[in-house]
Amino acid sequence: MRRDLFMKKGKIYVVGIGPGNMDDITVRAYRVLKNVDVIAGYITYTDLVKDEFAEKEFYVSGMKKEVARCEQVLEIAKSGKDVALISSGDAGIYGMAGIMIEIAQKEGYEVEVVPGVTSSVAGAAVVGAPLMHDHATISLSDLLTDWDVITKRIDKAAEGDFIISLYNPKSKGRTTQIVEARELMLKHKAPETPVALLRHVGREDQNYTLTNLQDFLNHEIDMFTVVIIGNSKTYVSNDRMITPRGYHI
Amino acid sequence: MRRDLFMKKGKIYVVGIGPGNMDDITVRAYRVLKNVDVIAGYITYTDLVKDEFAEKEFYVSGMKKEVARCEQVLEIAKSGKDVALISSGDAGIYGMAGIMIEIAQKEGYEVEVVPGVTSSVAGAAVVGAPLMHDHATISLSDLLTDWDVITKRIDKAAEGDFIISLYNPKSKGRTTQIVEARELMLKHKAPETPVALLRHVGREDQNYTLTNLQDFLNHEIDMFTVVIIGNSKTYVSNDRMITPRGYHI
């Protein structure tokens, strides 16, 4: 009688923890993290939850190790432990959900994706209601995507008068993409279009700047910033950025 | 000495409750609803929370009464009570956050927006990881937005090879918009592009259909359906819809 027939298969969860505090996490995500044996993730994210779930076993890995991280999570599940791979925001938006499902499927494992509040949504709430109407979400990271695909999307989103949320706008090594993105948007959007720079949303050092498409590059932007550019109806009133839905008031 | 100088001003919250169950609500949203005096909202949404918060006072209003609903919320706050106006999903995406801030500002009231898991994100998690890359969110409701603005956005989003989430795809009185939207997307997207129809996400009768751009109109779509159309890289494997981010596995 083979022992492995009776071995428990561990469950794999991919969990979006929201912006990173223990307030904007969902009840389900919190419960999953409380119940699993192992919490896995990139060190910046595991650092956000390690105090709250100090009793857990952690598997921590570095940046650009996404495939190896998922393979390790699969090994943990195969050893019989339940494991949650965490991303900040929502794990299904530029997070780990896709790659984890792809790797787990190779060995017949299922993955439960636990949704979370993505950064643009958390940031929008901080600054008012800029995402009230049709909007596009674009990552400026060209590590995994050709830059001409990204520029075409920026151009079409601006031409369609979408509100645009830019993820990964800039890092130490990537500084020119945001400059080109601004130029593309200025082809279709007015220079005075409101822009919100939302930094470290949901963290202790959360702060934001309200500016506009003409001037926003004169303010601090880093890899923990989400940039929201309004549509042609977006306005700023009393330090709130609002895109009207169209109600008559 | 005027009495009203000492009268407590009630606080106004706009709260996204997520898809509608008590699992996918955030910890902060749950706590706010526990602590306010009054929960206000459209009847479909208040019905979702009335059992959990049965001890609260409710202010319930009908559809298409959004402005009156916000004015009433302001009156409740002026009477000294803390009040939470709820939307399903995230209140800042086609929800009540914008209009509530606009009306509250007229009388100098601030509004705290509590973010939630929006329907496309909740639906994406059910079906796998279709939103992993750049995506556009478009409402097909032309009650408040000119149809030619909406069609332009569908066209540009499809041309930019965005993953597209359609909110409010169809109702009893609006049945032609989704037909035209499909035709516009077929100008730029292949007929075999995967499409997920996500119905009643997060509710007891949650269910979904995986289909494609050619065939999706042959399946049930109603006002509680979110439609997610993939980009050129999206595929379906073992009943999961995945948009790869671009990792080499």
Side-chain angles (χ1 to χ4, degrees):
Chain A
M1 200 179 294
R2 285 174 54 201
R3 182 179 167 274
D4 60 348
L5 287 174
F6 299 94
M7 225 172 96
K8 174 183 171 281
K9 275 172 87 168
K11 281 190 185 171
I12 302 173
Y13 300 88
V14 181
V15 178
I17 61 169
N21 57 67
M22 287 300 114
D23 259 10
D24 290 312
I25 193 171
T26 69
V27 171
R28 175 152 64 120
Y30 188 90
R31 194 180 54 230
V32 166
L33 295 186
K34 269 290 177 208
N35 288 341
V36 292
D37 303 299
V38 183
I39 296 174
Y42 173 47
I43 185 162
T44 304
Y45 307 144
T46 54
D47 274 355
L48 292 169
V49 303
K50 70 180 181 199
D51 290 343
E52 186 75 20
F53 303 101
E55 76 283 9
K56 297 292 168 186
E57 185 182 334
F58 278 86
Y59 170 72
V60 178
S61 72
M63 217 161 92
K64 300 184 185 173
K65 301 283 186 197
E66 290 82 4
V67 172
R69 191 182 307 151
C70 292
E71 286 168 345
Q72 188 58 38
V73 166
L74 181 58
E75 290 305 313
I76 294 167
K78 285 162 78 176
S79 80
K81 291 176 175 171
D82 295 339
V83 53
L85 176 60
I86 63 173
S87 293
S88 74
D90 176 67
I93 297 181
Y94 310 117
M96 299 297 291
I99 181 76
M100 189 66 243
I101 294 171
E102 291 179 280
I103 286 170
Q105 280 196 344
K106 288 189 193 179
E107 305 208 24
Y109 274 72
E110 293 191 355
V111 173
E112 180 173 333
V113 181
V114 180
V117 175
T118 189
S119 309
S120 61
V121 168
V126 167
V127 81
L131 297 181
M132 283 299 297
H133 215 296
D134 305 326
H135 54 279
T137 305
I138 301 172
S139 168
L140 292 194
S141 171
D142 55 358
L143 285 175
L144 299 168
T145 307
D146 289 343
W147 181 238
D148 60 357
V149 170
I150 300 171
T151 55
K152 182 173 180 182
R153 286 178 181 158
I154 297 165
D155 185 54
K156 295 303 164 192
E159 194 177 356
D161 194 27
F162 283 93
I163 307 148
I164 300 176
S165 300
L166 298 178
Y167 281 55
N168 308 305
K170 197 174 173 180
S171 68
K172 280 177 187 164
R174 274 189 314 104
T175 58
T176 61
Q177 285 82 352
I178 187 75
V179 177
E180 194 173 337
R182 172 181 168 278
E183 286 164 13
L184 282 166
M185 291 188 286
L186 277 169
K187 280 173 55 187
H188 307 289
K189 288 179 178 285
E192 59 272 18
T193 303
V195 172
L197 307 177
L198 300 145
R199 304 183 195 91
H200 304 256
V201 171
R203 318 267 165 97
E204 272 183 20
D205 48 348
Q206 166 182 303
N207 69 94
Y208 70 87
T209 302
L210 279 175
T211 171
N212 62 40
L213 193 51
Q214 181 67 37
D215 291 333
F216 80 99
L217 290 184
N218 298 324
H219 301 274
E220 187 198 340
I221 297 175
D222 64 16
M223 61 187 292
F224 298 107
T225 306
V226 172
V227 182
I228 300 181
I229 301 103
N231 72 13
S232 57
K233 304 273 177 59
T234 305
Y235 67 93
V236 173
S237 167
N238 293 317
D239 205 35
R240 304 278 86 187
M241 179 172 172
I242 299 165
T243 303
R245 180 94 193 268
Y247 298 110
H248 295 285
I249 56 171
Chain B
M1 199 179 296
R2 287 172 52 202
R3 182 178 167 275
D4 60 349
L5 286 177
F6 298 95
M7 226 172 97
K8 172 182 172 284
K9 272 172 89 167
K11 282 190 184 169
I12 301 173
Y13 300 88
V14 180
V15 178
I17 61 167
N21 57 68
M22 286 301 113
D23 260 9
D24 290 311
I25 192 171
T26 69
V27 171
R28 174 152 64 121
Y30 189 90
R31 195 180 54 232
V32 166
L33 296 185
K34 268 292 177 206
N35 288 342
V36 293
D37 303 299
V38 182
I39 297 174
Y42 172 48
I43 185 163
T44 304
Y45 306 144
T46 54
D47 275 356
L48 292 169
V49 302
K50 70 179 181 196
D51 289 344
E52 187 74 20
F53 303 101
E55 76 282 9
K56 296 293 169 186
E57 184 182 336
F58 279 86
Y59 170 72
V60 179
S61 73
M63 216 160 93
K64 298 183 187 174
K65 301 284 186 195
E66 289 82 4
V67 173
R69 192 183 306 151
C70 292
E71 287 169 343
Q72 187 58 37
V73 166
L74 182 58
E75 289 305 313
I76 293 168
K78 285 162 78 175
S79 79
K81 291 177 176 171
D82 294 339
V83 53
L85 176 60
I86 62 172
S87 293
S88 73
D90 176 66
I93 297 181
Y94 311 117
M96 299 298 291
I99 181 76
M100 188 67 243
I101 294 170
E102 291 180 280
I103 287 171
Q105 281 195 343
K106 288 189 193 179
E107 305 207 24
Y109 274 73
E110 292 190 357
V111 173
E112 180 174 333
V113 180
V114 180
V117 175
T118 188
S119 308
S120 60
V121 168
V126 167
V127 81
L131 297 181
M132 282 299 296
H133 215 295
D134 305 326
H135 54 277
T137 305
I138 302 172
S139 168
L140 293 193
S141 171
D142 55 358
L143 285 174
L144 299 167
T145 307
D146 289 342
W147 181 238
D148 60 356
V149 171
I150 300 171
T151 56
K152 182 174 181 183
R153 287 179 181 158
I154 297 166
D155 186 53
K156 296 302 165 194
E159 195 177 356
D161 194 27
F162 282 93
I163 308 148
I164 300 176
S165 300
L166 298 178
Y167 282 55
N168 309 306
K170 196 174 173 181
S171 68
K172 280 179 187 162
R174 270 187 319 103
T175 58
T176 61
Q177 286 81 352
I178 187 74
V179 176
E180 194 173 338
R182 173 181 167 278
E183 285 164 12
L184 283 166
M185 291 188 286
L186 277 170
K187 280 173 53 188
H188 307 289
K189 287 177 179 286
E192 58 271 21
T193 304
V195 171
L197 307 176
L198 301 146
R199 305 184 194 91
H200 304 257
V201 171
R203 318 268 165 98
E204 274 184 19
D205 49 348
Q206 167 183 301
N207 69 94
Y208 70 87
T209 302
L210 279 176
T211 171
N212 63 39
L213 194 50
Q214 181 66 36
D215 291 332
F216 79 98
L217 290 184
N218 298 323
H219 300 273
E220 186 197 341
I221 297 173
D222 65 17
M223 60 188 290
F224 298 107
T225 306
V226 172
V227 181
I228 300 182
I229 300 102
N231 73 12
S232 57
K233 304 273 176 61
T234 305
Y235 67 93
V236 173
S237 167
N238 293 318
D239 206 36
R240 304 278 86 188
M241 180 173 172
I242 298 165
T243 303
R245 181 90 192 270
Y247 298 111
H248 295 287
I249 58 171

